[in-house]
Amino acid sequence: MIRVYVCSCFGVTEKQVKEHAAAGACTPRQIASASKAGTDCGSCVRHIQALLGRGGCPRRELLDQGMPALAPETADLSEAA
């Protein structure tokens, strides 16, 4: 089996990035949160962007429809202070 490394700093492969994307990671930042890829030297971020492409992100689809991508806050933050 040939492993194609996306992030040599942390040993993250294309397969791992695609698995994280299939699990719901839509952005390089979300890939970084899941795998650390892109958090050291940053040279792999463009490759990660290319692997993610423009499709299949539910939040991106919401934005394209003009809807908010984030759920509204349900808790009153002033009560927590």
Side-chain angles (χ1 to χ4, degrees):
M1 172 195 276
I2 297 175
R3 291 185 180 164
V4 178
Y5 287 94
V6 173
C7 176
S8 56
C9 296
F10 293 105
V12 179
T13 64
E14 278 190 2
K15 179 182 176 192
Q16 290 171 308
V17 170
K18 290 176 182 178
E19 287 171 352
H20 290 304
C26 300
T27 66
R29 184 170 290 182
Q30 291 172 339
I31 296 292
S33 293
S35 67
K36 294 179 108 177
T39 62
D40 195 25
C41 76
S43 66
C44 60
V45 173
R46 289 190 186 254
H47 191 172
I48 293 168
Q49 288 172 325
L51 289 172
L52 293 175
R54 280 280 306 156
C57 181
R59 288 191 289 154
R60 187 175 296 132
E61 291 168 8
L62 288 173
L63 289 172
D64 289 343
Q65 295 170 9
M67 299 173 67
L70 299 175
E73 292 291 325
T74 56
D76 185 4
L77 296 179
S78 62
E79 291 177 4

